[in-house]
């Protein structure tokens, strides 16, 4: 069995607090000391594992009394989640960003595991190979179309197709 890397351990540590609280407030240096790592490791974890696409908002205050506050976005309804993802969608979407968005849809029970897997296969590098430099644009358009379809389905209560 593979040992989890430090980023995974730190992520799980922070998510443990977020399961029972709406937010967690940390001091970067204290967490780095606790995990015997450099403070930039904490920055990396927060920047890559706690994004808006993944359902988190991060605030920070610099200085002696500085902190990093991570808040789980509590979107009540499917339509709120879908609308938020549409608003976040930029003209270019990397595969990493797409994975985060699809995972968010799955974690919030908007799409099934099978739908998530199919959507990711559609948007992976190998599927968009012919698009070349335009793959990120095409991925964004695919995601936008899927989100609009989900939005319409949620509003109208219509069928999946």
């Amino acid at each position: 069995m593979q040992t989890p890397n430090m980023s995974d351990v730190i992520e799980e540590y922070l998510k443990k607090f977020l399961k029972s609280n709406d937010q967690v407030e940390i001091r970067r240096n204290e967490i780095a000391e606790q995990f015997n790592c450099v403070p930039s490791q904490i920055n990396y974890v927060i920047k890559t594992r706690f994004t808006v696409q993944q359902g988190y908002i991060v605030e920070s205050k610099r200085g002696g009394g500085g902190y990093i506050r991570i808040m789980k976005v509590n979107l009540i309804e499917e339509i709120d989640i879908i609308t938020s993802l549409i608003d976040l969608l930029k003209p270019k979407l990397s595969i990493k960003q797409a994975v985060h968005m699809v995972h968010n849809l799955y974690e919030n029970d908007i799409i099934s595991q099978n739908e998530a897997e199919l959507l990711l296969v559609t948007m992976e590098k190998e599927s968009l190979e012919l698009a070349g430099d335009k793959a990120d644009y095409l991925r964004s358009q695919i995601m936008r179309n899927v989100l609009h379809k989900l939005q319409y389905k949620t509003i109208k209560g219509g069928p999946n197709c």
Side-chain angles (χ1 to χ4, degrees), residues 76-84 110 150-152 154-155:
I76 306 297
E77 298 185 23
E78 287 183 10
I79 193 69
D80 293 332
I81 296 166
I82 296 166
T83 301
S84 294
I110 297 171
L150 289 170
Q151 187 178 41
Y152 178 77
T154 301
I155 292 171

Side-chain angles (χ1 to χ4, degrees), residues 33-150:
E33 191 174 301
Q34 180 177 344
F35 287 98
N36 196 26
C37 66
V38 294
S40 62
Q41 179 81 37
I42 307 303
N43 287 350
Y44 171 79
V45 170
I46 290 169
K47 185 176 180 180
T48 61
R49 313 283 177 101
F50 295 92
T51 66
V52 175
Q53 293 94 337
Q54 294 166 304
Y56 298 96
I57 295 175
V58 177
E59 295 177 349
S60 63
K61 179 184 173 209
R62 295 182 184 268
Y67 61 83
I68 298 172
R69 182 179 298 140
I70 305 168
M71 298 170 283
K72 180 86 171 132
V73 179
N74 292 321
L75 300 172
I76 306 297
E77 298 185 23
E78 287 183 10
I79 193 69
D80 293 332
I81 296 166
I82 296 166
T83 301
S84 294
L85 289 174
I86 290 170
D87 291 343
L88 289 170
L89 199 56
K90 296 189 175 16
K92 289 173 69 174
L93 183 68
S94 71
I95 187 61
K96 186 175 183 178
Q97 292 166 324
V99 168
H100 292 317
M101 293 179 103
V102 170
H103 184 72
N104 194 335
L105 292 169
Y106 172 71
E107 286 294 313
N108 285 288
D109 296 320
I110 297 171
I111 61 174
S112 68
Q113 180 178 352
N114 190 47
E115 290 168 328
E117 289 170 359
L118 290 171
L119 186 53
L120 289 174
V121 166
T122 302
M123 292 190 290
E124 67 187 11
K125 184 180 177 184
E126 294 78 13
S127 298
L128 301 177
E129 189 174 352
L130 294 175
D133 294 342
K134 306 232 184 268
D136 287 350
Y137 291 103
L138 185 55
R139 192 176 294 112
S140 178
Q141 192 59 46
I142 291 168
M143 181 60 81
R144 184 173 306 285
N145 290 341
V146 167
L147 291 171
H148 281 299
K149 184 67 173 182
L150 289 170

Side-chain angles (χ1 to χ4, degrees), residues 9-47:
V9 172
I10 296 167
E11 175 187 12
E12 285 307 311
Y13 173 80
L14 295 172
K15 285 185 175 180
K16 181 178 78 175
F17 288 107
L18 288 166
K19 283 183 181 178
S20 58
N21 301 303
D22 290 338
Q23 66 182 19
V24 63
E25 194 170 294
I26 63 167
R27 290 191 168 47
R28 187 178 71 139
N29 289 337
E30 290 174 10
I31 298 293
E33 191 174 301
Q34 180 177 344
F35 287 98
N36 196 26
C37 66
V38 294
S40 62
Q41 179 81 37
I42 307 303
N43 287 350
Y44 171 79
V45 170
I46 290 169
K47 185 176 180 180

